[in-house]
Amino acid sequence: MHAHAASISSSDHGHAGHGSHGDHHGHITLQYQPGLPLSRGKLIMWLFLSTEIMFFAALLGSYVVLRFGAAIWPKPHHVHLSEPIGAFNTFVLICSSVTIVLALEAARANKASLAKIWMLLTLLLGSLFLGIKGYEYAAKFSHGIYPAMPHSRIYERPDLYYGSAVRARLDELRKLPVALVPAALRDPADAEAKAGDTVDVLKRLDEVAADRLSAEQQAARGRLQQVQKIVISPEQQAFDMAVVADQVMPLPAEGADHGGGHGAHGLNDAFPWLRLPTVIPGGNMWASTYFLLTGFHAIHVGVGLLVFAIMLTWTLNAKRAGAIENIGLYWHFVDLVWIFLFPLLYLF
Amino acid sequence: MSDHDPHAHGPVTRPGASADETLQHALHEAHGDHHAHGGLGKYVLVFLALCGLTTMSFLTYSPAWPWRDQPQVGWTFMMAVSCTKAMLVILFFMHVWWEANWKYVLTIPAAMMALFLGIMLIPDVGLRNRMVSQERALHMARDSDLKTLQRASAESPFAEAAH
């Protein structure tokens, strides 16, 4: 960079004269010759992006190792992933890439207010992406899919460990603190209960009038009673745990449901407050990689949105074109990462 | 960067402007006439291509895809589509197509490092398939677990109650 960083020339005229007429201005000017013919900001952004390429290459690489080195990997519908939502998010990010490019073009043409409109649109599209991502995360959380214990309710196999986890959760529900009783099963008497009192929610569910339950919930109530019998039965067989897991949260069959994952209804769907442990073969590793990759990507989106919000307070004229170009490069890179994440996470 | 008019193009620091601004100005002037004017059409074109490519990779997951029993075909296809999309974004949205030769200095080493990193990880995939710790072997799910669950779903004693 500094090989020819500065050479001294006397003035704008380019003559080598140190004499009379240059004294008028009284100072020398430096000729700036960078090693690469681009501005400092852009050079730094590109260098930063090359480190980012390697950062995401490492993340994607470890995903590939874990994904293809795993004995089993859940299908997208096993983990309640919706391909159309992922595709729509891809579309949103591509649109935002177009709008930031148009913001740059408008700024170069010195149309500051037009540039601002495009940048505002970019900000909104980026926020929409994060909003959809948040909606997807919420859908995972509601099914007990978290990256780690203690929130995660994913068990790998329908084995004895799974059976005892279901038993433990059922025991918890038999001694639930009054404050945690689900609204549908509240009793007028609960208002007078002391802080330390507990309620047997399962018993209360059995006693609740049928007209307070939907047809689906009535059927689920009967299945829940059978599940409770199976997990404490002394004649329990290994296969019974698979039956329990299938009742709690069935894994939809291949091609059965490509929509939002609401085709099959388990006990956890009929009574969300049950929160019984579920079985998703390969689900824990899937959750770890999914949340790590999309989480780091979402952080990058968030940083971009922050910069857009700050830049919206500026006058986005030709003087700011360099800055817009740099944040644009960053934003396109974020789009680029999603272009690879979408098929790897949703379609593989 | 041409040299016919040093005042307009030369990277000479002018009074009142920082070196960066001057350079930005000069760079803009140097390649501005190639694509800055009337160039919105090409962005629309790239946008449409990106949408079309996204649909293509999405369709590999649809029942119409002929190689459903060989997922590797679909994976390869999807990665090819993704690389095409990435190239479109890099070349046109990131303006690399119109940049001077410095682009190779920055992008080629990074791309090689990323590629090398990916290739280096291939043996790990094999290793993870071949070597399994006792604890992992005890607790990890296998295809048989999925089959058991599907059998439980089909033969469940409460199958009648559920449907």
Side-chain angles (χ1 to χ4, degrees):
Chain A
M1 179 100 190
H2 283 286
H4 307 284
S7 64
I8 298 171
S9 71
S10 68
S11 72
D12 290 349
H13 305 293
H15 296 299
H18 286 272
S20 50
H21 64 277
D23 293 340
H24 177 66
H25 293 293
H27 57 263
I28 50 170
T29 52
L30 298 177
Q31 191 174 344
Y32 178 69
Q33 286 184 328
L36 293 173
L38 65 169
S39 72
R40 245 174 296 159
K42 196 168 162 186
L43 174 69
I44 288 167
M45 181 51 81
W46 270 104
L47 284 175
F48 171 65
L49 289 186
S50 17
T51 67
E52 289 276 90
I53 289 173
M54 284 178 271
F55 175 75
F56 277 102
L59 280 180
L60 287 173
S62 31
Y63 169 77
V64 167
V65 168
L66 295 170
R67 163 78 173 78
F68 294 98
I72 188 167
W73 199 256
K75 296 266 181 290
H77 48 275
H78 290 168
V79 283
H80 307 276
L81 258 192
S82 161
E83 293 93 353
I85 291 183
F88 181 69
N89 246 353
T90 311
F91 176 71
V92 168
L93 267 199
I94 291 173
C95 286
S96 75
S97 260
V98 176
T99 53
I100 193 70
V101 159
L102 294 178
L104 174 61
E105 294 290 333
R108 276 184 176 160
N110 219 2
K111 294 173 187 158
S113 48
L114 186 64
K116 196 162 267 192
I117 290 171
W118 286 124
M119 185 161 282
L120 184 68
L121 257 175
T122 316
L123 179 74
L124 291 177
L125 286 167
S127 311
L128 178 64
F129 176 89
L130 275 193
I132 294 172
K133 203 81 231 145
Y135 168 77
E136 284 191 290
Y137 272 24
K140 307 281 165 297
F141 294 159
S142 75
H143 285 103
I145 300 174
Y146 283 86
M149 294 291 210
H151 293 294
S152 170
R153 301 200 298 272
I154 306 171
Y155 280 74
E156 290 286 309
R157 346 175 42 183
D159 55 7
L160 286 174
Y161 298 101
Y162 173 68
S164 65
V166 173
R167 220 161 30 236
R169 177 60 188 161
L170 289 171
D171 285 343
E172 246 174 65
L173 289 167
R174 289 195 186 95
K175 288 196 211 81
L176 207 64
V178 175
L180 298 180
V181 173
L185 295 177
R186 275 198 189 286
D187 205 291
D190 288 350
E192 288 125 48
K194 289 190 287 295
D197 285 356
T198 59
V199 173
D200 185 343
V201 185
L202 297 177
K203 192 166 158 234
R204 200 172 271 187
L205 177 66
D206 290 342
E207 289 162 357
V208 82
D211 59 339
R212 282 176 66 185
L213 300 173
S214 67
E216 190 203 322
Q217 283 179 327
Q218 286 177 41
R221 180 163 70 171
R223 282 151 59 208
L224 179 61
Q225 285 161 352
Q226 296 195 55
V227 163
Q228 290 181 62
K229 277 185 204 129
I230 291 178
V231 292
I232 54 163
S233 161
E235 284 109 50
Q236 191 185 93
Q237 312 252 322
F239 186 64
D240 291 340
M241 290 303 108
V243 172
V244 169
D246 179 59
Q247 290 300 320
V248 170
M249 194 185 76
L251 296 180
E254 176 85 31
D257 173 37
H258 276 290
H262 298 293
H265 277 271
L267 295 174
N268 275 353
D269 294 309
F271 305 110
W273 49 266
L274 269 181
R275 281 192 266 154
L276 290 169
T278 59
V279 175
I280 307 175
N284 281 305
M285 195 56 93
W286 178 87
S288 300
T289 54
Y290 172 81
F291 285 111
L292 187 74
L293 288 170
T294 57
F296 268 121
H297 181 259
I299 290 172
H300 279 78
V301 173
V303 169
L305 294 182
L306 201 69
V307 177
F308 291 143
I310 293 170
M311 288 177 101
L312 276 174
T313 64
W314 300 354
T315 308
L316 300 175
N317 53 20
K319 251 186 149 175
R320 299 292 199 183
I324 298 175
E325 186 180 10
N326 292 341
I327 185 61
L329 287 173
Y330 173 82
W331 193 249
H332 297 312
F333 177 80
V334 171
D335 183 17
L336 215 66
V337 171
W338 184 255
I339 282 175
F340 285 99
L341 280 187
F342 167 60
L344 280 171
L345 292 176
Y346 288 74
L347 303 177
F348 263 42
Chain B
M1 207 143 292
S2 61
D3 53 354
H4 33 268
D5 185 3
H7 291 283
H9 291 287
V12 177
T13 312
R14 288 172 301 183
S18 76
D20 245 23
E21 277 169 13
T22 313
L23 187 69
Q24 195 67 46
H25 179 74
L27 288 171
H28 182 217
E29 298 248 314
H31 68 116
D33 35 336
H34 295 307
H35 73 108
H37 308 297
L40 300 191
K42 66 175 181 282
Y43 293 132
V44 175
L45 217 63
V46 172
F47 169 73
L48 290 177
L50 287 172
C51 290
L53 285 165
T54 307
T55 318
M56 272 168 75
S57 62
F58 182 51
L59 283 179
T60 59
Y61 211 68
S62 82
W65 183 251
W67 295 281
R68 282 187 74 76
D69 50 336
Q70 287 161 289
Q72 292 83 354
V73 180
W75 295 340
T76 313
F77 177 77
M78 278 187 269
M79 278 299 103
V81 166
S82 285
C83 288
T84 315
K85 281 164 75 180
M87 283 325 281
L88 284 177
V89 170
I90 293 172
L91 287 179
F92 299 107
F93 285 170
M94 296 171 95
H95 295 113
V96 167
W97 182 267
W98 298 283
E99 297 289 5
N101 286 346
W102 63 261
K103 61 194 175 190
Y104 302 114
V105 179
L106 287 180
T107 49
I108 290 181
M112 278 169 63
M113 294 280 256
L115 201 67
F116 184 55
L117 187 72
I119 292 170
M120 276 202 306
L121 287 172
I122 291 175
D124 290 78
V125 179
L127 210 63
R128 250 185 99 74
N129 276 318
R130 285 171 59 95
M131 317 260 282
V132 177
S133 72
Q134 189 153 19
E135 194 181 353
R136 196 173 150 225
L138 256 179
H139 296 289
M140 77 177 187
R142 296 170 181 78
D143 272 328
S144 58
D145 290 307
L146 190 61
K147 293 214 172 70
T148 311
L149 284 167
Q150 280 160 353
R151 195 156 63 86
S153 187
E155 304 172 8
S156 158
F158 338 157
E160 315 81 56
H163 296 293

